[in-house]
Amino acid sequence: GAGVSQTPSNKVTEKGKYVELRCDPISGHTALYWYRQSLGQGPEFLIYFQGTGAADDSGLPNDRFFAVRPEGSVSTLKIQRTERGDSAVYLCASSLPTGATGELFFGEGSRLTVL
Amino acid sequence: RKEVEQDPGPFNVPEGATVAFNCTYSNSASQSFFWYRQDCRKEPKLLMSVYSSGNEDGRFTAQLNRASQYISLLIRDSKLSDSATYLCVVNKGGGNKLTFGTGTQLKVEL
């Protein structure tokens, strides 16, 4: 499809394991964002890429979280030594490169459950 | 204090009613403002931008008061399909790095 694609849609893992979540943005969208949404909360900013580089990673909660976007398209969010508190829906979004229109196009999210 | 505050609701209203949601933001340097809609277990989607002059899109009217750091959304003639969570969103600048409120849940009933 033409929208933002995220895989896996659901991931169940055990505490302490390593997890990778993948995002394929809309073609032509150079800006890519990762957000995290816990139950009953709004999306919380994690990191923002403009092209290949992380323009702003101020939302990453700690050094267990890392994201890459090596070719300026697909991005992977990596979580090391998962904790139960990491359980949430991880949303990826992309947007057009020009201006701050406020319109982010979100994927359906990857629901992470850490047991 | 959260950067963007909203009453979580739920607001339960009958079909055809008018309902208003409010939101406040703490950072006076915020530059642009939006309402997003999120259906249950779905992704958020942009509903409309919010301007100081007020703007209308069909049954939806959004208003910004910069002096009070207050944003509102008015929905007239509510439909069952309007049932969703409405997220108040602020952009402090620097691309589209958005700050979301917790959302206000609306349930429109027959």
Side-chain angles (χ1 to χ4, degrees):
Chain A
V4 176
S5 175
Q6 290 188 249
T7 55
S9 54
N10 278 285
K11 175 71 177 178
V12 180
T13 192
E14 293 179 343
K15 180 174 178 292
K17 298 289 189 184
Y18 170 79
V19 166
E20 286 191 355
L21 306 175
R22 175 189 164 106
C23 173
D24 197 345
I26 293 171
S27 177
H29 283 191
T30 58
L32 184 147
Y33 306 77
W34 283 99
Y35 282 78
R36 175 170 72 173
Q37 187 169 25
S38 300
L39 193 62
Q41 302 297 314
E44 174 193 16
F45 171 79
L46 296 177
I47 186 169
Y48 153 50
F49 289 90
Q50 185 63 259
T52 59
D56 186 338
D57 65 356
S58 61
L60 294 177
N62 52 59
D63 62 7
R64 295 187 297 105
F65 288 75
F66 189 71
V68 295
R69 193 185 186 200
E71 297 176 358
S73 179
V74 171
S75 175
T76 305
L77 179 65
K78 308 181 181 197
I79 310 173
Q80 298 178 317
R81 304 183 304 280
T82 51
E83 299 177 357
R84 291 194 180 87
D86 298 336
S87 297
V89 177
Y90 289 81
L91 292 164
C92 177
S94 68
S95 73
L96 290 166
T98 54
T101 63
E103 183 154 28
L104 296 186
F105 295 85
F106 283 89
E108 294 187 347
S110 292
R111 183 175 299 274
L112 175 65
T113 302
V114 182
L115 301 176
Chain B
R1 183 186 173 190
K2 289 185 177 178
E3 287 192 59
V4 181
E5 299 215 44
Q6 296 182 250
D7 179 345
F11 284 59
N12 298 314
V13 303
E15 206 175 10
T18 295
V19 60
F21 305 137
N22 304 315
C23 160
T24 57
Y25 61 95
S26 61
N27 190 331
S28 59
S30 299
Q31 297 181 5
S32 49
F33 309 87
F34 311 92
W35 284 99
Y36 270 67
R37 170 188 169 135
Q38 186 170 26
D39 293 304
C40 188
R41 299 182 77 86
K42 294 289 190 182
E43 72 275 22
K45 293 182 180 178
L46 178 66
L47 177 66
M48 60 196 302
S49 301
V50 189
Y51 306 112
S52 297
S53 53
N55 49 303
E56 190 172 307
D57 183 1
R59 297 180 293 108
F60 297 81
T61 300
Q63 187 76 50
L64 165 67
N65 184 322
R66 283 191 184 269
S68 302
Q69 295 180 204
Y70 173 96
I71 303 163
S72 65
L73 177 67
L74 183 77
I75 305 175
R76 291 181 299 281
D77 188 23
S78 300
K79 310 291 185 192
L80 294 174
S81 58
D82 294 334
S83 297
T85 295
Y86 291 83
L87 296 157
C88 179
V89 184
V90 168
N91 189 348
K92 294 182 287 187
N96 280 317
K97 179 186 168 185
L98 305 180
T99 301
F100 287 78
T102 56
T104 298
Q105 188 179 10
L106 171 66
K107 295 182 181 178
V108 181
E109 303 164 332
L110 287 172

